[in-house]
Amino acid sequence: GQNIDQPTEMTATEGAIVQINCTYQTSGFNGLFWYQQHAGEAPTFLSYNVLDGLEEKGRFSSFLSRSKGYSYLLLKELQMKDSASYLCAVRHGSSNTGKLIFGQGTTLQVKP
Amino acid sequence: GAVVSQHPSRVICKSGTSVKIECRSLDFQATTMFWYRQFPKQSLMLMATSNEGSKATYEQGVEKDKFLINHASLTLSTLTVTSAHPEDSSFYICSVEGPPNSPLHFGNGTRLTVT
């Protein structure tokens, strides 16, 4: 079976740092992805981890621990436009291609 | 990454009619595409894997006779919602599987409303 858990909602202040956690239990793992989705729009890719450790891309960083089945997305210097849903997704299966299974998403509200 | 075009972006149809949604990979020859569905305030649920030149693979609980998938070329997959009902109203999103170790790239989605 597969299970991906994220907090449903988070609130943070403009300019601050926020960490969105994701835990997963899947049969077969080949990478963890983070997507951002604004209401009514398609998801856009943010970051990807396949090995343990931290991946940094500008204001966004993502961390993975495969042994713990745990990842987080770190957003720095929050801006109002960062208010969106953040989706954690696991690549399912034994190859480095294949379908993604998504968590329920975390709705982040950034307040002034 | 792959550039994905999805059409139409919005469609309203009457109950009982069929609706076809197109997903095109504009810059990558995609042997595999994925169709997702998203209900309001919920996450993306995988419906099926579209395989070029062969039958689609459907996820558990998804009716293959209701959601017809055709992937006749390396750049186009279509999803047809047959005999649509109001409960089929949802946001349908396609994605293209690119090179190994690459993320999925999504089309802009189709908002289907069945009246």
Side-chain angles (χ1 to χ4, degrees):
Chain A
Q2 49 217 17
N3 193 41
I4 302 172
D5 283 321
Q6 308 176 233
T8 305
E9 295 180 343
M10 297 184 72
T11 304
T13 305
E14 190 176 17
I17 299 173
V18 70
Q19 178 174 313
I20 303 174
N21 296 324
C22 172
T23 57
Y24 64 89
Q25 292 174 311
T26 59
S27 53
F29 172 87
N30 223 297
L32 188 140
F33 300 78
W34 285 95
Y35 285 81
Q36 179 191 62
Q37 186 179 28
H38 286 98
E41 299 180 9
T44 55
F45 169 71
L46 290 179
S47 72
Y48 166 51
N49 296 73
V50 65
L51 300 175
D52 291 351
L54 189 68
E55 293 284 339
E56 296 186 80
K57 289 177 72 175
R59 293 191 299 117
F60 297 87
S61 303
S62 59
F63 171 83
L64 175 67
S65 168
R66 289 172 295 170
S67 63
K68 295 181 179 178
Y70 167 69
S71 174
Y72 67 72
L73 179 69
L74 195 70
L75 292 78
K76 303 176 185 176
E77 301 170 15
L78 279 173
Q79 303 174 8
M80 298 299 291
K81 67 178 182 179
D82 296 330
S83 293
S85 286
Y86 291 86
L87 307 174
C88 170
V90 172
R91 172 157 276 155
H92 187 65
S94 58
S95 77
N96 53 13
T97 56
K99 61 188 180 185
L100 296 187
I101 305 301
F102 284 83
Q104 70 269 31
T106 298
T107 300
L108 173 66
Q109 184 178 18
V110 180
K111 294 185 174 179
Chain B
V3 178
V4 184
S5 172
Q6 187 173 341
H7 178 80
S9 58
R10 221 174 258 279
V11 60
I12 300 173
C13 71
K14 292 186 177 180
S15 189
T17 60
S18 295
V19 173
K20 180 186 282 188
I21 303 169
E22 294 186 349
C23 180
R24 294 183 183 274
S25 176
L26 300 183
D27 63 346
F28 184 79
Q29 293 192 319
T31 56
T32 304
M33 297 185 185
F34 302 98
W35 287 96
Y36 288 84
R37 178 168 57 181
Q38 186 175 35
F39 291 106
K41 299 191 184 299
Q42 295 186 23
S43 191
L44 280 73
M45 296 299 296
L46 180 65
M47 298 177 68
T49 302
S50 174
N51 305 299
E52 187 267 336
S54 65
K55 291 182 179 180
T57 305
Y58 290 81
E59 295 298 304
Q60 192 172 12
V62 178
E63 299 175 58
K64 62 180 182 181
D65 294 330
K66 180 169 181 63
F67 299 99
L68 301 179
I69 291 173
N70 184 282
H71 192 156
S73 78
L74 289 172
T75 59
L76 174 64
S77 174
T78 60
L79 169 69
T80 301
V81 183
T82 62
S83 187
H85 291 283
E87 56 265 32
D88 298 323
S89 298
S90 188
F91 191 48
Y92 292 85
I93 315 175
C94 72
S95 64
V96 169
E97 179 175 275
N101 289 321
S102 66
L104 293 186
H105 290 275
F106 289 88
N108 286 331
T110 298
R111 175 75 58 194
L112 170 64
T113 303
V114 184
T115 61

